[in-house]
Amino acid sequence: MKRILILMITALLVLSQSAKAQDSETIVFTPQWTAQAQFAGYYVAEAKGFYREAGVKVKIEHLLATQSAVKRLLNNDCQATTLQLCQALEIVDGGVPLVNILQTSMNNAMVIVSARGKNPLTQKGARVGIWNVEFGQLAICMSMKERLDYQWVRCAQGINLFVAGALDATLAMSYNEYYQLVQAGFEMNEKDVYRFCNHGYNVQEDGVYMTREYYEKHPEMAKKFAQASRKGWEWAAQHPEETIDIVMRYVEKDHISTNRVMQRLMLKEVLRLQIDRESKKREFRLRPDMVRQANKLMLENLMLSREVGYKELVE
C-alpha cells in the first residue's frame, strides 16, 4: 500500500512538472484591445495552423476595453502584446526593457474628429475625448506643440459622448471609431478631420512586444511566433473575405457589438496602414527615423526623461 501511494505521488509530481513545462512553452498573446480586425493576422495564424507549423504554441487571450494589456505583460500574465510605439517608449523609459519582435503598422492611424464644420486646430481649449487606457501620447504631444490647450476627457470606449454633443471633438482611429461615426450617420469632411499622419506626426503604431527578460530566455520561440504572425498578416492581405470569417468567429465568441461591414472596413484600413509610404511595401519593421521622431516629440513635451534608442527596442 505504501509503495502504491509513493508511486501515485511520484506520478502526480511528474504530471505537475510536465504541465508547468508545457505552460512555459506556451506564448500567451494579449492584443491591446477587444476582438476585432485590427488583430486579424494573429487570428489567421492560429486558425490556419501557422503557429502550429512553426512549432510554437500560442494562446490568444483578449481583455475588456477597461483593462490593460500592459499590466498583463508586466505581471507576466501574458508573454506578448501589441503596443503603439509611443507606449513602448514610455514603458522602457519607466524602467521595463522591451523588445519589438514584429512591427505591423507603418503609418499612424490617429485622427481628431471635431464638431460639425469646425477645424480641430481652431478649437483651442476644446473638450476632446481620449481613451481611458494607455493610448494617446502622440495626441497629447501634438496639442501641446500646437498650443491648443485641449481639455482631455477620458472615455472607456466608443463615440457616444461625442455624438451626444458632450464633447467638442474626439480622438479616433481611422480604422475604428472613424467608421463607427460613419455608421452612426455622422457626416464628416476633411475640414472636420485632422489626420496626424498628414501633419508631421506620422509615428508608427502597432507592433508586437515582449519584455526583454522573457525574450532573452526564449529567443527561438519569439522568432517563430513573429514569423508565423507575419505569415498570418500576409495571408490576410491575400484573402480578405475569408479573413473576415475568421475575425467574426472571435468577435462572436467574445460577444463584441459590431458587424461584418464594420470589420471589413477596419481590415481594409489596417492593411493599408501596413504599407510604407516610401517603399510602397508591407515591410514589418520598426523604422529608426520614426523612433527618433517619437522620442523628439515626447522629450519636448516632458513625456520621457531620456531618449530611448532604436537599438533598445530591437534584438
Side-chain angles (χ1 to χ4, degrees):
M1 186 70 180
K2 185 176 179 181
R3 179 177 175 80
I4 293 174
L5 184 60
I6 291 172
L7 288 172
M8 289 176 64
I9 293 171
T10 302
L12 287 172
L13 287 171
V14 169
L15 286 172
S16 176
Q17 290 171 354
S18 175
K20 288 180 179 177
Q22 188 176 12
D23 288 343
S24 69
E25 294 169 1
T26 299
I27 292 177
V28 177
F29 171 57
T30 298
Q32 82 252 42
W33 200 247
T34 54
Q36 57 184 20
Q38 179 183 0
F39 313 114
Y42 313 108
Y43 305 155
V44 166
E46 183 179 58
K48 304 302 290 185
F50 298 157
Y51 290 133
R52 184 175 62 253
E53 291 170 5
V56 60
K57 187 174 180 182
V58 177
K59 184 177 181 182
I60 300 174
E61 290 186 351
H62 281 284
L63 36 69
L64 300 176
T66 54
Q67 295 176 318
S68 167
V70 173
K71 288 181 181 177
R72 280 183 57 84
L73 184 71
L74 301 185
N75 290 337
N76 295 317
D77 294 325
C78 69
Q79 287 71 53
T81 189
T82 50
L83 296 171
Q84 295 182 4
L85 174 56
C86 288
Q87 284 180 279
L89 296 181
E90 198 171 60
I91 293 168
V92 174
D93 180 49
V96 181
L98 297 176
V99 177
N100 177 301
I101 64 169
L102 178 69
Q103 182 67 33
T104 55
S105 158
M106 297 303 292
N107 299 284
N108 197 277
M110 199 176 298
V111 302
I112 298 179
V113 180
S114 70
R116 294 168 179 81
K118 293 185 179 180
N119 185 329
L121 289 185
T122 66
Q123 292 182 284
K124 292 190 176 182
R127 288 169 53 82
V128 182
I130 189 171
W131 300 279
N132 202 32
V133 288
E134 298 93 348
F135 310 150
Q137 292 89 343
L138 186 65
I140 294 171
C141 285
M142 185 281 286
S143 68
M144 294 174 70
K145 186 172 182 178
E146 305 294 338
R147 299 181 180 179
L148 294 172
D149 195 28
Y150 283 158
Q151 299 176 48
W152 297 106
V153 179
R154 294 282 174 181
C155 308
Q157 62 174 330
I159 57 172
N160 294 342
L161 282 178
F162 177 65
V163 172
L167 300 172
D168 302 307
T170 188
L171 286 181
M173 289 298 184
S174 65
Y175 53 78
N176 194 0
E177 294 88 357
Y178 177 86
Y179 285 123
Q180 289 180 30
L181 287 167
V182 171
Q183 288 198 336
F186 194 88
E187 295 183 6
M188 293 172 286
N189 56 50
E190 287 308 306
K191 184 178 179 181
D192 303 323
V193 179
Y194 177 93
R195 298 181 183 274
F196 284 74
C197 63
N198 294 339
H199 296 276
Y201 299 97
N202 193 24
V203 174
Q204 287 173 290
E205 293 180 326
D206 287 7
V208 180
Y209 290 83
M210 292 178 166
T211 63
R212 183 163 290 279
E213 179 183 12
Y214 180 84
Y215 173 82
E216 290 180 349
K217 289 180 181 177
H218 308 278
E220 286 305 311
M221 284 178 63
K223 184 177 180 180
K224 290 176 181 178
F225 173 62
Q227 289 174 339
S229 296
R230 174 172 176 166
K231 186 176 180 180
W233 278 113
E234 290 170 338
W235 192 94
Q238 296 298 318
H239 307 84
E241 280 305 308
E242 190 173 345
T243 296
I244 294 300
D245 291 338
I246 295 170
V247 169
M248 293 308 294
R249 291 203 291 270
Y250 279 85
V251 164
E252 290 162 8
K253 178 184 175 183
D254 285 3
H255 307 289
I256 303 300
S257 178
T258 186
N259 56 68
R260 189 179 183 91
V261 173
M262 173 68 188
Q263 294 306 311
R264 185 183 290 117
L265 289 168
M266 182 182 291
L267 178 63
K268 184 178 180 180
E269 176 68 355
V270 167
L271 291 172
R272 184 187 73 82
L273 291 165
Q274 290 181 357
I275 298 174
D276 185 81
R277 287 185 172 190
E278 296 176 9
S279 70
K280 311 301 182 185
K281 296 178 181 179
R282 191 168 280 110
E283 295 190 6
F284 296 102
R285 71 180 180 95
L286 191 61
R287 286 181 46 161
D289 60 324
M290 290 199 186
V291 174
R292 288 193 297 271
Q293 182 185 13
N295 267 287
K296 183 175 184 294
L297 289 167
M298 295 179 76
L299 284 166
E300 286 175 351
N301 294 287
L302 306 179
M303 299 184 74
L304 294 177
S305 64
R306 66 175 182 88
E307 181 173 355
V308 178
Y310 170 76
K311 290 184 178 180
E312 290 184 66
L313 297 175
V314 296
E315 301 178 25

